[in-house]
Amino acid sequence: MEFSFTEEQRLMAETARKIAKDFPPDYWYEKEEAGEFGAEFWKAISEAGFLGIVIPEEYGGVGLGVSELMLVIQELCENGCGMAGNWYICLTEVFGAMPIVKYGTKEQKEKYLPKIASGELEFCMALTEPNAGTNTFRIETFAKKEGDGYRINGSKIFISGADRAKGMLLIARTTRPEDAPKKTHGITLFLVDLPNEAVKVSPIPKHGINYSKTCEVVIEDLWVPESAVLGEVDKGWFSLLDVLDPERLVFTVASVGIGKLAINYAVNYGNQRQVFSQPISSYQSLQHPLAEAYASLVSAELLAYKAGWLFDNDGHYREIGAVANMAKAVAVENATKAVYWAMQTLGGYGYSKEYHVERWWREINLVRLAPVTQQMALNYIAEHILGMPKSYS
Amino acid sequence: MKIAVFCKSVPDTETKVRLKGDRLDTSGIKYILNPYDEFAVEEAVRMKEAKKAEEIVAISMGPARAQEALRNALAIGADRAVLVTDDALDGSDTLATAKVLVKVLEKEGGDFDLLLFGQRAIDGDTWQVPSQVAALLDLPQATCTVALEVEPGSKAVATRLVEGGEEIHELTLPAVITCSKGLNEPRYPSLPNIMKAKKKPLTTYSLGDLGIDASEVGKNGSRTEVLSYELPPARGGGKKVEGEPEEVVAELVKFLKEEIKVI
């Protein structure tokens, strides 16, 4: 057994901490309020090589795995960036770089990877639809073979970063469910260049994470050449798992990071804040929930890195899925608890925007809904790990 | 030019200092490259980028973990690194340390044009080693430098901040410079450079390799010895004097006379 990080991993974490200190909560407070992209932060993480962690060296990246990606993201989140430490990196590197590295043709790799690694190209993923969330097989966006390409129609919802991205991983059916020999058959991944007149993008006003826009995307008669297909036609489901598992993992460590950030913030505040004769942090009604949340977050963190290790070492997808879902469920439950009790510790200040906790509260609220709801993560544990019957179909 | 940059592995700036008996409790401490040494490494790398320097050697004396601080220097852009590590070094004071560093410079050819240090290490905070090295080698030195111009093969012009102004020193090379905050803004070691640093040479020397006898270093070879560590006393509560001016003044004078006895 080996629990320690390597020297290089520790130095990477150190670089992430330094960047986080240069983009502290006050920076994100301003970006959030202005609804503005964190361009200065994007520049810093581009220069530090964070967008090319999983990209091979020959394409301008660092050639490492999801474990290093998680490590860097957690450090950013935990040391002051909150969800912003994960958000942009996930959209571009997990949704763009990862599937292209694994399934792209040489031409696709040459076209996209160097620009992703340098921070020149932002990405997004268009999967979710008004009638298809976790039930991915029900997506209705359809790509019909036409000449030496495909004609695509459909609509997507909650597509983060689509307003800025120049590249989109678009998931569509190429065979209708009724014609498919197997449930998992018929899904194809496409790489689409944006902006495109056939792709209409409209931001959706939302609860938090307003330093990035989340959009409705309507695709009307979009034509793409065959060379836009990523991986194999009709067999995109298994490639998609290689995006969805890392997505779950980076959101898990982001949750751990946000939870720890809120706890540290609450502890510092509570140690200073004297209401009656003692600092309020001496009260056990605040200590116990923060301590419980912290212990659980650290447990989820270990589980998450185990999942990352399995992913990087070609673990079986069922095992990765199991560990990733357990880590996600525990991390989010306890990050939510951590931010709740941080707000309780700060009292009225916790409700005031300048004290950041309310922003982290809005951020952590997303993770109980996406990338997968807490309930679906628990369903996965019940069905696939415990062997209980499926309650839905 | 050939530049030596001295690097120390120190506890992270956010470390909560705890004592174990009368020694520092080192459990759970995260170690980093001394932040002032980062200014020194960055300055050296900028000189190399400006084609003023050909080689940058990062040098450290410390336990095995100091290797990580050296890797950090390599990731910023130093070419190679040298670590002196030996159990017998434990307890060395600043002068013993300076003597070892001088031996390293000799071992590495002795042909350095510039010796760059951080002005202080944030742990021991003695500010002494660079000046001791300069004295042992009889080299000119400028400490706490905030601006540096170097003409290879000839001189260095160093600016120091002093109360109410600046002092500008011209030093003939080779010279010792200690680096202060404001000299530059050190870059983040990027991930590609961290991976490249892994492949750069890092040489480790023991005392034997440097021809130093164990009696010359450690507690035996030191003129000073740390007897114990103590945490600074906890700050007591303040005292607030309230009321009309005449009453306040009277009370304050009484307080100064009777309680803290300064008047």
Side-chain angles (χ1 to χ4, degrees):
Chain A
M1 282 253 259
E2 175 60 82
F3 276 104
S4 62
F5 288 112
T6 64
E7 194 173 80
E8 296 79 44
Q9 288 170 331
R10 286 198 298 272
L11 289 174
M12 290 173 193
E14 175 69 21
T15 289
R17 274 195 294 279
K18 282 184 179 150
I19 293 179
K21 297 293 170 203
D22 285 348
F23 296 93
D26 285 335
Y27 173 84
W28 294 109
Y29 165 59
E30 283 175 23
K31 293 293 172 191
E32 171 75 10
E33 288 304 295
E36 220 174 72
F37 181 73
E40 304 82 1
F41 174 75
W42 178 262
K43 185 166 179 280
I45 59 171
S46 304
E47 287 170 0
F50 287 5
L51 298 164
I53 294 174
V54 302
I55 295 176
E57 284 177 52
E58 53 181 311
Y59 296 108
V62 198
L64 296 169
V66 81
S67 306
E68 284 81 9
L69 187 65
M70 290 162 66
L71 178 66
V72 159
I73 285 175
Q74 189 188 328
E75 292 289 349
L76 288 171
C77 298
E78 184 175 332
N79 288 286
C81 297
M83 182 57 83
N86 169 48
W87 196 259
Y88 301 143
I89 300 180
C90 176
L91 298 184
T92 292
E93 192 157 1
V94 176
F95 297 162
M98 290 198 95
I100 297 173
V101 167
K102 208 147 184 179
Y103 300 103
T105 60
K106 191 163 178 290
E107 289 71 29
Q108 288 169 335
K109 288 178 180 174
E110 281 169 356
K111 177 177 173 186
Y112 292 107
L113 296 181
K115 285 186 179 171
I116 291 178
S118 67
E120 205 182 312
L121 182 80
E122 289 171 47
F123 236 83
C124 66
M125 172 170 75
L127 170 61
T128 302
E129 298 185 1
N131 295 321
T134 311
N135 49 347
T136 305
F137 301 120
R138 300 274 183 83
I139 56 169
E140 290 160 5
T141 297
F142 197 82
K144 188 169 181 288
K145 191 85 182 71
E146 189 180 300
D148 52 358
Y150 290 84
R151 183 71 64 187
I152 309 178
N153 280 285
S155 61
K156 298 284 181 181
I157 197 152
F158 308 135
I159 310 308
S160 295
D163 59 315
R164 297 178 51 89
K166 297 280 187 290
M168 173 187 268
L169 178 69
L170 173 64
I171 294 94
R173 291 209 69 107
T174 32
T175 300
R176 296 199 188 277
E178 54 272 26
D179 303 327
K182 277 194 302 187
K183 188 180 160 194
T184 53
H185 184 91
I187 287 177
T188 302
L189 312 186
F190 292 91
L191 294 171
V192 178
D193 296 330
L194 297 179
N196 186 306
E197 279 189 358
V199 181
K200 289 198 178 57
V201 176
S202 327
I204 303 164
K206 59 176 171 168
H207 180 55
I209 314 179
N210 286 303
Y211 39 76
S212 170
K213 298 201 186 330
T214 296
C215 310
E216 185 185 358
V217 174
V218 177
I219 302 153
E220 221 180 316
D221 282 336
L222 167 71
W223 189 85
V224 295
E226 271 170 2
S227 61
V229 172
L230 180 65
E232 288 183 65
V233 175
D234 283 334
K235 292 182 182 161
W237 167 247
F238 290 99
S239 319
L240 194 56
L241 286 182
D242 283 327
V243 178
L244 301 183
D245 280 330
E247 181 197 22
R248 206 153 295 185
L249 290 174
V250 293
F251 273 93
T252 300
V253 291
S255 304
V256 171
I258 293 170
K260 286 185 169 180
L261 173 64
I263 291 173
N264 285 334
Y265 196 79
V267 169
N268 283 334
Y269 179 88
N271 284 346
Q272 306 290 327
R273 174 74 170 168
Q274 205 148 328
V275 175
F276 295 99
S277 56
Q278 292 164 286
I280 57 168
S281 60
S282 64
Y283 304 141
Q284 291 183 337
S285 57
L286 292 178
Q287 288 179 353
H288 289 180
L290 289 171
E292 269 177 351
Y294 189 83
S296 307
L297 285 171
V298 174
S299 312
E301 178 183 330
L302 280 177
L303 210 48
Y305 284 104
K306 180 181 175 184
W309 181 86
L310 282 168
F311 190 89
D312 289 338
N313 289 281
D314 298 321
H316 192 275
Y317 76 93
R318 282 190 195 282
E319 196 182 356
I320 298 168
V323 182
N325 276 300
M326 289 191 287
K328 192 269 178 190
V330 179
V332 174
E333 180 73 22
N334 288 283
T336 307
K337 183 173 178 176
V339 184
Y340 176 99
W341 281 96
M343 190 180 273
Q344 206 66 20
T345 307
L346 267 82
Y349 294 107
Y351 203 67
S352 125
K353 292 198 168 188
E354 284 171 68
Y355 282 76
H356 311 299
V357 178
E358 71 80 35
R359 186 174 70 256
W360 300 329
W361 176 251
R362 287 184 284 119
E363 292 183 345
I364 208 66
N365 269 338
L366 173 77
V367 199
R368 61 181 160 117
L369 311 170
V372 65
T373 62
Q374 286 293 84
Q375 289 67 34
M376 287 307 288
L378 294 174
N379 285 344
Y380 187 98
I381 297 168
E383 289 163 30
H384 297 280
I385 305 176
L386 304 181
M388 297 164 100
K390 196 175 180 182
S391 63
Y392 52 94
S393 59
Chain B
M1 278 200 310
K2 184 170 167 184
I3 304 177
V5 187
F6 295 86
C7 298
K8 189 175 184 189
S9 166
V10 298
D12 187 11
T13 47
E14 289 181 8
T15 304
K16 290 190 180 79
V17 178
R18 283 183 305 232
L19 296 181
K20 194 166 150 189
D22 62 354
R23 301 286 288 180
L24 198 61
D25 178 3
T26 53
S27 62
I29 288 184
K30 204 178 277 172
Y31 290 92
I32 58 167
L33 171 61
N34 178 38
Y36 290 92
D37 299 346
E38 280 183 25
F39 299 127
V41 180
E42 176 68 33
E43 196 65 14
V45 173
R46 288 186 189 193
M47 281 186 248
K48 186 168 179 192
E49 285 167 347
K51 309 257 184 265
K52 287 184 173 181
E54 290 79 44
E55 191 183 22
I56 304 167
V57 185
I59 299 170
S60 188
M61 176 186 122
R65 64 162 157 77
Q67 181 178 311
E68 194 168 313
L70 288 173
R71 285 281 175 220
N72 198 338
L74 294 171
I76 297 172
D79 296 296
R80 61 189 183 88
V82 176
L83 172 64
V84 189
T85 187
D86 199 306
D87 290 345
L89 287 166
D90 191 32
S92 298
D93 68 359
T94 56
L95 187 58
T97 303
K99 286 177 181 168
V100 173
L101 296 180
V102 165
K103 287 280 187 190
V104 177
L105 293 171
E106 280 171 20
K107 178 91 180 171
E108 291 300 319
D111 53 346
F112 291 91
D113 301 284
L114 199 58
L115 311 184
L116 295 179
F117 290 82
Q119 67 177 19
R120 51 180 271 240
I122 60 164
D123 56 350
D125 219 5
T126 63
W127 307 59
Q128 292 178 359
V129 173
S131 299
Q132 289 168 333
V133 169
L136 290 170
L137 292 171
D138 198 22
L139 293 180
Q141 58 168 315
T143 56
C144 311
T145 301
V146 293
L148 182 65
E149 274 306 320
V150 176
E151 279 177 34
S154 135
K155 62 177 183 178
V157 179
T159 307
R160 319 172 64 225
L161 290 184
V162 292
E163 207 169 327
E166 289 179 343
E167 256 179 30
I168 297 170
H169 295 262
E170 197 174 290
L171 303 90
T172 49
L173 296 181
V176 171
I177 304 284
T178 81
C179 304
S180 187
K181 192 174 178 177
L183 178 61
N184 55 46
E185 192 63 53
R187 69 198 69 187
Y188 310 121
S190 73
L191 271 44
N193 286 339
I194 289 171
M195 296 310 285
K196 277 180 206 140
K198 198 181 164 182
K199 294 171 194 148
K200 291 182 180 176
L202 193 153
T203 316
T204 302
Y205 292 134
S206 65
L207 286 178
D209 296 329
L210 297 174
I212 301 171
D213 190 83
S215 65
E216 298 171 57
V217 296
K219 278 188 181 171
N220 294 335
S222 293
R223 297 184 187 188
T224 61
E225 189 185 346
V226 176
L227 297 178
S228 70
Y229 289 88
E230 273 172 41
L231 290 175
R235 212 189 302 170
K239 190 180 168 90
K240 202 170 182 182
V241 189
E242 283 174 298
E244 292 301 314
E246 307 87 71
E247 298 164 17
V248 172
V249 169
E251 202 179 326
L252 195 57
V253 169
K254 188 171 168 230
F255 173 76
L256 293 173
K257 269 187 180 164
E258 293 173 10
E259 284 192 48
I260 56 172
K261 298 178 177 132
V262 290
I263 53 174

